[in-house]
Amino acid sequence: MSKSLHTAQQYWDERSELFGNYYKQPTAFDKIFRQGVYTREAVANKVCQEYKKPIILDIGSGPGFNSVSFLKNSSASNLIGIDFSNNMVEYARDLVKKELVDDRCEYIEDDFMTYDWSNSSNSSFDITIALGVLDYIENASEFINKMDKLTSKVSVVSWPENGLRMALRKYRYTCPVFHYSKQDITDLYSDCKLTNLKFVKSRGGWVTIAYK
């Protein structure tokens, strides 16, 4: 765990523009050392393309670039994004308008772990996606269980592994960050009774695809 001066919400609320630039204006450094960010997006896009007019839940939707990519590269009929950062949600709402996909997209400013989905316009999704989220979740089992209950077909999750990049993040970040081994992930899914699991290796971790 990193030194904890801020919550993950506080940390990312101050960095919406910075994170948005990883997608909008990636530097040579980003393309090399943040390659995992783009790999996990590509994996999720491929899964979205497997289904006809899916309803998608984008958990930890951030500045909205992944949401736009999912909508533009699949036949998705609707996407709901949820993020606890006000600045991220506002950034995403502006972005989807500029990209002309706001008619198929809405954003919720709230914490996925505590949000009551029974009051939402959707309480079941064909595809649920959490990219760059488990890095900041202390209770991964609870998260995966809740995600699974909202998923009717498949879920896609990225997982950071331990290593040099994680060590640097723990040094630099002022909020807690977490990492996982492949066995940790397998055990988590097994505990949640999810066994149809596929791993895709990415730089600095894995992306899992869990089919129902």
Side-chain angles (χ1 to χ4, degrees), residues 25-42:
Q25 298 173 331
T27 64
F29 179 91
D30 292 332
K31 291 177 181 178
I32 296 171
F33 293 100
R34 295 192 173 96
Q35 190 179 80
V37 171
Y38 312 112
T39 299
R40 67 199 190 197
E41 176 194 350

Side-chain angles (χ1 to χ4, degrees), residues 148-184:
D148 178 54
K149 289 175 182 176
L150 295 168
T151 307
S152 65
K153 293 178 179 175
V154 61
S155 60
V156 182
V157 180
S158 69
W159 304 83
E161 65 181 338
N162 200 11
L164 177 60
R165 184 167 183 266
M166 178 55 66
L168 292 172
R169 292 174 79 193
K170 287 183 177 181
Y171 176 77
R172 292 173 50 241
Y173 284 26
T174 58
C175 67
V177 290
F178 304 89
H179 59 79
Y180 308 84
S181 69
K182 191 173 182 180
Q183 189 60 53
D184 290 336

Side-chain angles (χ1 to χ4, degrees), residues 42-141:
V43 171
N45 268 325
K46 187 174 180 180
V47 171
C48 292
Q49 291 164 4
E50 295 175 8
Y51 299 91
K52 185 177 181 180
K53 296 185 177 180
I55 298 173
I56 301 171
L57 174 62
D58 185 5
I59 304 165
S61 46
F65 285 92
N66 283 334
S67 300
V68 169
S69 184
F70 303 152
L71 288 166
K72 287 193 168 184
N73 289 288
S74 77
S75 63
S77 62
N78 189 38
L79 180 147
I80 293 179
I82 183 168
D83 200 290
F84 54 29
S85 165
N86 172 263
N87 288 341
M88 288 288 194
V89 169
E90 290 305 312
Y91 191 117
R93 286 172 176 159
D94 288 341
L95 179 68
V96 294
K97 287 179 182 178
K98 291 175 184 176
E99 295 293 333
L100 305 178
V101 293
D102 54 307
D103 59 326
R104 291 187 287 148
C105 186
E106 64 178 288
Y107 287 99
I108 299 167
E109 182 190 335
D110 215 311
D111 187 338
F112 171 75
M113 296 292 284
T114 57
Y115 185 71
D116 183 2
W117 289 95
S118 64
N119 294 324
S120 174
S121 57
N122 284 96
S123 58
S124 178
F125 301 85
D126 298 307
I127 304 170
T128 57
I129 302 171
L131 304 183
V133 178
L134 269 293
D135 312 47
Y136 312 101
I137 302 297
E138 185 169 8
N139 191 335
S141 179

Side-chain angles (χ1 to χ4, degrees), residues 169-209:
R169 292 174 79 193
K170 287 183 177 181
Y171 176 77
R172 292 173 50 241
Y173 284 26
T174 58
C175 67
V177 290
F178 304 89
H179 59 79
Y180 308 84
S181 69
K182 191 173 182 180
Q183 189 60 53
D184 290 336
I185 301 166
T186 301
D187 290 344
L188 277 165
Y189 277 101
S190 180
D191 290 344
C192 297
K193 312 301 181 186
L194 292 167
T195 56
N196 191 0
L197 184 64
K198 177 182 177 182
F199 281 85
V200 178
K201 189 69 179 74
S202 67
R203 188 182 184 96
W206 296 270
V207 183
T208 55
I209 306 167

